[in-house]
Amino acid sequence: MSVRHALLALLTEGSKYGLQLRQEFEARTGEVWPLNVGQVYTTLQRLEREGHVESHENERDGAQKRFRITAAGERELDRWLRTPPSAAPPPRDELVIKVQVALRLPGVDVRDILQVHRRHLVEEMQRYTHLKAEAAADDVGLGLVVDAELFRLEAVVHWLDAADVRLRRLPAVPPVPAGADGTRRAPRHQPAKPAPARTAGSRS
Amino acid sequence: MTAVDGRDIWTDAMSPVLSLRQVSKVYGSGATAVPALREADLVVDAGELVAIMGPSGSGKSTLLTIAGTIEEPTSGEVYVCGADVAALSADAQARLRRRSIGFVFQDLNLLAGLSAAENVALPLELDGVRARVARVAAMRLLDELGLADRAGYFPDDLSGGERQRVAIARAVIGERRLLLADEPTGALDSTNGEAVIRLLRSACRRGVAGVLVTHDAQLASWADRVVFIRDGRIVDQTGPATGPEALLAQDVI
Ligand SMILES: Nc1ncnc2c1ncn2[C@@H]1O[C@H](COP(=O)(O)OP(=O)(O)OP(=O)(O)O)[C@@H](O)[C@H]1O
Ligand SMILES: [Mg+2]
């Protein structure tokens, strides 16, 4: 989330104080993305250095500065709106690493690890959905932010489900790779049932 | 739990609306036996919406048809509105289903000879509600689901998603105690899916107990509790709800 451009956008409505910008930013993102005061002021300072905003001290307000967007700032905002967002994934997805590690650890049921994460994700989704359910129907700002988080979390749940299916296809005892130490590894996961449910010889 | 002491089982507010105890289901027998559900325990109170999630073939629909008294369990006990289902006569079971349970199943079974509005109004009319009154209630629900202008259409002339919404309206109409929904938003886009789940959610707010089977994590996240099923066994469930403050605490940049 580009705080810089969000602040520029708020300033297109007219000049504003720093604290006011913070309040309006939070209100329009349904308070899902809180912003601290320091972050607001350092961002404004940077925008001012770049010539995208200018400030003027209001005699009557004493210390409080008002900020105003410049023509250069408006051009920058327009450029940003049209620039594709960075699609680069996080350098190493921590969850993928956890599951990779679980696969290699003896005595760990990977599907249980997947389930623990699935539950955490769904619980987090429940909290976001609760926000959405309680919000006023016309609170578009909140709806947009919450949906973005929900779709992101849902994608991770999908990945866990796909991983689950992959693991089901694994033989219970995987071929032992030629490890440097030559020790035999434990089964990667314990299937929850002895054989596919429909085949003869499964539990009766 | 049964109405032995003369209390009306329909208004027994003290017991959970649905209670499954150690319920197992095996389809077929001998070498071809399929254990579809294994020792499932599930309690759903009035006002509660519970979602069941799990992979394909994990036993979700089986659980739902048993909860709806459509299938009998191989072992274990099922209580609906306080009544021990196994102890009820076939007639009493049918009455329980019709009066107290609303269903939305994967095959929607709308009646092809009735219009959308007539399909929705039907359960009320079967309960003896006057046709005009039932019709008004049906129209209100169809309107809520964005289908007011399709009320006179026959199921064959509706899109898959529209049929699905008609089936939902039919399930929630009237004062059901228990709502059972199997992938109720399967053919819907996210806007219509949300309208449907909001409708189920608000029915539960009014005191209905709901069980919602789904693959869809977004849909499940509307539930008070999400139960996870794997290979016929309930393996996990979400914890008690925490407020949205928890989001702020953890999710900041
Ligand atoms: N009438 C039946 N006879 C035999 N086996 C059945 C019958 N109904 C279901 N099964 C089997 O029981 C298991 C559970 O089926 P169920 O329909 O409950 O799964 P599900 O979780 O609802 O799956 P899906 O998400 O695909 O709808 C499956 O292995 C299925 O093949
Ligand atoms: Mg099913």
Side-chain angles (χ1 to χ4, degrees):
Chain A
M1 173 68 208
S2 168
V3 174
R4 290 174 68 215
H5 294 97
L7 296 183
L8 282 179
L10 289 171
L11 288 172
T12 58
E13 298 164 356
S15 66
K16 286 173 185 175
Y17 297 109
L19 278 179
Q20 186 185 358
L21 284 167
R22 173 182 171 228
Q23 275 164 9
E24 291 183 7
F25 175 90
E26 292 193 350
R28 284 181 211 195
T29 54
E31 283 159 38
V32 173
W33 287 329
L35 203 58
N36 66 49
V37 191
Q39 220 175 342
V40 173
Y41 281 104
T42 47
T43 307
L44 285 168
Q45 276 166 12
R46 196 170 130 208
L47 285 168
E48 192 166 15
R49 270 203 313 277
E50 294 164 345
H52 292 140
V53 305
E54 54 194 23
S55 67
H56 50 107
E57 236 122 327
N58 189 323
E59 317 76 54
R60 259 180 276 151
D61 294 325
Q64 283 252 39
K65 267 186 180 178
R66 277 184 96 91
F67 293 85
R68 183 165 49 205
I69 190 167
T70 62
E74 282 172 355
R75 281 195 301 277
E76 167 58 19
L77 183 60
D78 187 63
R79 186 198 61 77
W80 172 76
L81 282 177
R82 291 157 204 281
T83 310
S86 151
R92 286 192 187 79
D93 190 314
E94 191 186 338
L95 187 55
V96 179
I97 294 175
K98 285 185 169 152
V99 173
Q100 296 271 21
V101 169
L103 266 173
R104 283 165 203 290
L105 283 184
V108 172
D109 183 340
V110 187
R111 293 180 72 198
D112 280 346
I113 302 288
L114 295 177
Q115 175 53 32
V116 168
H117 292 291
R118 187 184 285 110
R119 169 161 48 77
H120 284 317
L121 288 160
V122 171
E123 284 172 348
E124 195 171 346
M125 290 178 75
Q126 283 178 297
R127 291 191 281 269
Y128 278 110
T129 300
H130 187 78
L131 271 183
K132 183 159 80 171
E134 300 298 308
D138 60 353
D139 193 341
V140 177
L142 177 96
L144 288 173
V145 172
V146 165
D147 280 346
E149 296 296 337
L150 284 170
F151 281 109
R152 180 180 65 77
L153 293 164
E154 182 186 30
V156 184
V157 174
H158 275 311
W159 177 77
L160 288 173
D161 293 345
D164 222 319
V165 173
R166 273 184 202 286
L167 289 169
R168 264 167 182 280
R169 296 207 196 102
L170 268 188
V173 182
V176 181
D181 55 359
T183 52
R184 188 182 157 75
R185 290 167 203 242
R188 290 182 182 192
H189 75 109
Q190 316 292 330
K193 52 184 175 183
R198 278 194 195 282
T199 54
S202 64
R203 292 184 345 158
S204 54
Chain B
M1 277 284 211
T2 42
V4 279
D5 56 357
R7 274 181 309 164
D8 183 349
I9 56 168
W10 315 111
T11 57
D12 182 359
M14 295 316 287
S15 55
V17 177
L18 173 67
S19 167
L20 304 183
R21 295 193 197 154
Q22 292 287 297
V23 167
S24 298
K25 178 74 183 179
V26 180
Y27 287 110
S29 61
T32 57
V34 179
L37 201 59
R38 308 177 197 224
E39 290 119 38
D41 285 311
L42 181 70
V43 173
V44 186
D45 287 318
E48 199 185 12
L49 179 61
V50 172
I52 314 273
M53 286 189 84
S56 186
S58 58
K60 304 182 297 294
S61 297
T62 302
L63 186 150
L64 212 62
T65 47
I66 290 174
T69 76
I70 291 170
E71 289 271 8
E72 272 180 30
T74 309
S75 61
E77 294 153 36
V78 181
Y79 295 86
V80 175
C81 301
D84 178 354
V85 172
L88 297 177
S89 68
D91 269 1
Q93 279 189 23
R95 207 161 42 235
L96 177 71
R97 267 198 295 278
R98 192 162 55 70
R99 284 220 230 151
S100 303
I101 309 181
F103 296 99
V104 191
F105 281 155
Q106 275 172 317
D107 46 7
L108 305 165
N109 52 52
L110 294 174
L111 297 175
L114 298 184
S115 72
E118 287 163 347
N119 263 289
V120 175
L122 186 64
L124 281 188
E125 292 191 39
L126 289 176
D127 279 353
V129 173
R130 287 215 324 275
R132 279 243 320 275
V133 177
R135 184 70 179 215
V136 169
M139 286 303 297
R140 194 180 53 75
L141 277 170
L142 287 173
D143 188 37
E144 229 172 291
L145 292 169
L147 287 175
D149 59 342
R150 294 287 186 275
Y153 282 47
F154 290 95
D156 284 346
D157 302 330
L158 295 169
S159 77
E162 288 165 348
R163 272 200 294 278
Q164 202 151 17
R165 281 177 282 160
V166 173
I168 307 269
R170 186 187 54 183
V172 303
I173 202 165
E175 294 300 302
R176 314 281 152 210
R177 299 276 311 273
L178 178 61
L179 267 178
L180 304 173
D182 202 342
E183 298 285 4
T185 62
L188 301 180
D189 60 21
S190 61
T191 312
N192 285 316
E194 199 171 304
V196 162
I197 188 68
R198 279 183 189 271
L199 198 72
L200 292 181
R201 181 70 269 180
S202 66
C204 292
R205 283 278 146 75
R206 293 194 302 271
V208 174
V211 184
L212 164 69
V213 159
T214 185
H215 287 100
D216 179 339
Q218 284 214 41
L219 192 65
S221 72
W222 286 82
D224 299 303
R225 184 151 55 97
V226 182
V227 168
F228 298 90
I229 183 168
R230 188 163 92 196
D231 302 324
R233 218 179 275 284
I234 291 177
V235 290
D236 200 8
Q237 63 173 333
T238 57
T242 50
E245 321 79 61
L247 290 173
L248 301 184
Q250 60 172 53
D251 227 39
V252 188
I253 308 102

